[in-house]
Amino acid sequence: MSFQRKILVTGGAGFIGSHVVRLFVNKYPQYLIFNLDKLTYAGNLENLKDFEKSFNYRFIKGDIVDESFVLKLFEENKFDGVIHLAAESHVDRSIVSPTDFIFTNIVGTVNVLNAAGKIWDNLNLNNKGQVSMESEEQNPISSFRFYHISTDEVYGSLDETGYFTESTPYDPRSPYSASKAAADHLVRAYAHTYNLPVVVTNCSNNYGPYQFPEKLIPLAINNIKNNLPVPVYGKGENTRDWLWVEDHAAAIDLVFHKGRTGATYNIGGFNEWKNLDVIHMLCKIMDEKLGRIKGKSEELITFVKDRPGHDMRYAIDSSLISKELGWKPSLTFEEGLSKTVDWYLANEEWLQHITSGAYQQYYQQQYHQR
Ligand code: NAD
Ligand code: DAU
């Protein structure tokens, strides 16, 4: 069977990546989708079960830090599009073990860029002199794209007012955000220096099904469900801009296909909430869904020592992607949180598998230190 395009998604066994791969596999039967993932603690084949046998999907276990492996993979498969999500993604872990973040997020990104650059060079050479009136299907050079998925955390922290725009200067403040900022700079440097056709998006906090329960929302849901303390860092006044993960995946689809080459788009829900308010909402939803007495789950809220260097507020101005590509979030936060809680309650086994074993050790270390 021949496919119109071969697209590589890195980090597709993680939270956002699994939603992106699912969307592409189901929506584009004419594409062959490769999912390259190391399966770190955050990568989970159970996130992919519903489409793992699809005819247009291939899983490859591998490490983007392994330069020769990545080069060989690109040489063998000649991908004509890359959506790069693989990363170490958790800020708290970056504070404890920054080196992993430097390897995967920076060195790994350079390896993927170099391998994509080789394919791009070959496409350029092979297409020299060709008339460029052909459709994308016939002329892969017009459709080749390196899409780098980044975060709003590269912009630093906001006071009470204002938004991050695409021209906000970078000011990363955690090892995680510094490593993502370095990767973003490298991606843009490859575009400038080698003409690699890149696009970058910087997104706010995602939530929804399949998120690893080290992040605030799934951790709180899991703890409320099990009557465990719900840890709130500092006074719970830090503010995040929350986005339903499928809305992020839909934005990635749009940008991959229609975004301007060389552009950066910010993605966010115009949906800011203080952490403590998020937890209050979750407690209320969980009381209702678990049939608990009103206010019962709130008793679990426990204020703990703050995250070192904790950024106070993130808020994304996503008007560029809305204006240019017509993207907008599909759900209110209340709807999204309710759907998220339903998913975690219905997927007991998924949660059970993740929260046994190494997770327990992480959780104990993380919260007994505080
Ligand atoms: P995640 O931690 O859930 O998933 C990361 C995936 O990358 C995992 O499947 C993991 O196994 C894989 N991976 C890690 N190191 C690898 C390596 N060396 N080689 C190959 N695979 C490797 O992360 P996520 O929350 O889904 O985030 C995905 C991307 O989106 C990241 O680049 C992150 O910076 C970015 N992002 C995340 C958010 C968010 O709220 N979660 C917001 C904005 C941007
Ligand atoms: O803004 C985008 C970023 O959002 C992504 O780039 C990161 O990959 C992603 O992890 C996320 O980073 P945050 O640090 O904002 O997410 P986290 O869920 O870890 O924390 C959200 C907020 O909640 C933050 O202010 C810290 C706080 N928090 C977190 C945990 C885990 C708590 O108060 N208690 C907790 O137990």
Side-chain angles (χ1 to χ4, degrees):
M1 170 149 197
S2 80
F3 290 94
Q4 199 185 93
R5 298 183 76 171
K6 281 187 184 182
I7 296 169
L8 176 71
V9 178
T10 69
F15 166 49
I16 301 171
S18 64
H19 287 276
V20 172
V21 177
R22 177 176 297 101
L23 177 67
F24 273 66
V25 166
N26 291 333
K27 185 169 173 189
Y28 301 108
Q30 69 275 33
Y31 296 171
L32 181 56
I33 309 298
F34 291 79
N35 174 7
L36 165 62
D37 199 295
K38 182 181 173 184
L39 298 181
T40 65
Y41 78 93
N44 185 354
L45 291 177
E46 289 186 40
N47 296 357
L48 314 163
K49 274 215 172 317
D50 53 311
F51 58 84
E52 67 186 357
K53 296 203 168 71
S54 297
F55 69 98
N56 63 334
Y57 171 71
R58 308 275 183 277
F59 179 74
I60 304 155
K61 184 171 191 295
D63 186 347
I64 57 168
V65 178
D66 182 343
E67 185 182 11
S68 53
F69 161 76
V70 176
L71 262 179
K72 191 157 166 270
L73 183 71
F74 273 75
E75 274 161 13
E76 280 171 5
N77 293 289
K78 311 256 178 311
F79 305 116
D80 49 28
V82 178
I83 307 179
H84 178 44
L85 295 113
E88 287 293 340
S89 69
H90 193 40
V91 174
D92 290 325
R93 290 188 194 248
S94 84
I95 294 167
V96 179
S97 323
T99 314
D100 297 342
F101 288 69
I102 307 308
F103 279 114
T104 288
N105 298 1
I106 307 180
V107 178
T109 298
V110 169
N111 288 342
V112 184
L113 280 168
N114 284 339
K118 280 212 163 170
I119 302 294
W120 172 240
D121 271 353
N122 289 338
L123 282 176
N124 262 322
L125 291 174
N126 293 339
N127 279 264
K128 279 244 162 75
Q130 235 174 340
V131 187
S132 61
M133 297 290 286
E134 293 162 293
S135 69
E136 284 194 354
E137 232 174 284
Q138 293 160 305
N139 185 7
I141 199 165
S142 63
S143 61
F144 186 89
R145 167 151 287 194
F146 186 102
Y147 181 0
H148 176 62
I149 308 298
S150 192
T151 169
D152 59 357
E153 299 200 7
V154 297
Y155 297 123
S157 181
L158 291 164
D159 298 328
E160 273 146 44
T161 56
Y163 291 93
F164 296 134
T165 71
E166 287 79 3
S167 54
T168 301
Y170 273 32
D171 182 23
R173 294 145 48 99
S174 72
Y176 163 69
S177 55
S179 70
K180 290 296 289 185
D184 294 11
H185 287 319
L186 283 157
V187 170
R188 295 191 183 107
Y190 273 61
H192 185 76
T193 310
Y194 309 113
N195 275 328
L196 189 71
V198 308
V199 64
V200 178
T201 50
N202 295 85
C203 188
S204 64
N205 285 62
N206 286 216
Y207 72 99
Y210 300 107
Q211 188 167 32
F212 192 90
E214 63 188 349
K215 308 280 165 50
L216 179 68
I217 289 178
L219 186 139
I221 294 173
N222 185 45
N223 285 17
I224 294 170
K225 179 169 158 264
N226 293 303
N227 276 308
L228 291 166
V230 178
V232 174
Y233 298 170
K235 295 182 182 153
E237 285 175 353
N238 302 65
T239 300
R240 297 291 182 264
D241 177 355
W242 293 96
L243 183 67
W244 173 244
V245 63
E246 289 179 11
D247 285 333
H248 188 191
I252 289 173
D253 178 18
L254 263 180
V255 171
F256 182 73
H257 288 98
K258 300 196 175 131
R260 267 178 300 115
T261 300
T264 294
Y265 298 94
N266 280 352
I267 306 173
F270 283 112
N271 182 42
E272 283 179 56
W273 294 85
K274 285 191 191 327
N275 293 337
L276 190 54
D277 294 335
V278 174
I279 299 300
H280 283 308
M281 284 169 83
L282 277 175
C283 287
K284 186 165 170 277
I285 295 172
M286 295 284 285
D287 279 347
E288 282 162 17
K289 299 208 189 258
L290 295 171
R292 286 185 184 162
I293 302 162
K294 212 169 146 198
K296 190 74 193 146
S297 299
E298 301 234 335
E299 290 170 13
L300 299 166
I301 294 175
T302 308
F303 292 93
V304 298
K305 193 164 157 247
D306 211 350
R307 171 186 281 175
H310 196 174
D311 286 340
M312 182 46 87
R313 174 173 168 259
Y314 305 144
I316 278 273
D317 177 350
S318 56
S319 45
L320 181 66
I321 187 173
S322 296
K323 216 162 42 195
E324 269 192 27
L325 305 178
W327 174 86
K328 60 176 188 340
S330 69
L331 292 184
T332 65
F333 196 38
E334 289 81 355
E335 287 164 340
L337 278 185
S338 172
K339 280 174 78 141
T340 304
V341 170
D342 284 342
W343 187 87
Y344 279 90
L345 294 180
N347 287 275
E348 170 81 27
E349 216 176 294
W350 182 92
L351 200 51
Q352 189 68 40
H353 290 169
I354 280 192
T355 54
S356 49
Y359 177 83
Q360 285 304 327
Q361 203 186 337
Y362 166 78
Y363 183 79
Q364 297 306 335
Q365 274 169 358
Q366 185 68 18
Y367 295 103
H368 280 176
Q369 278 163 8
R370 288 176 185 270

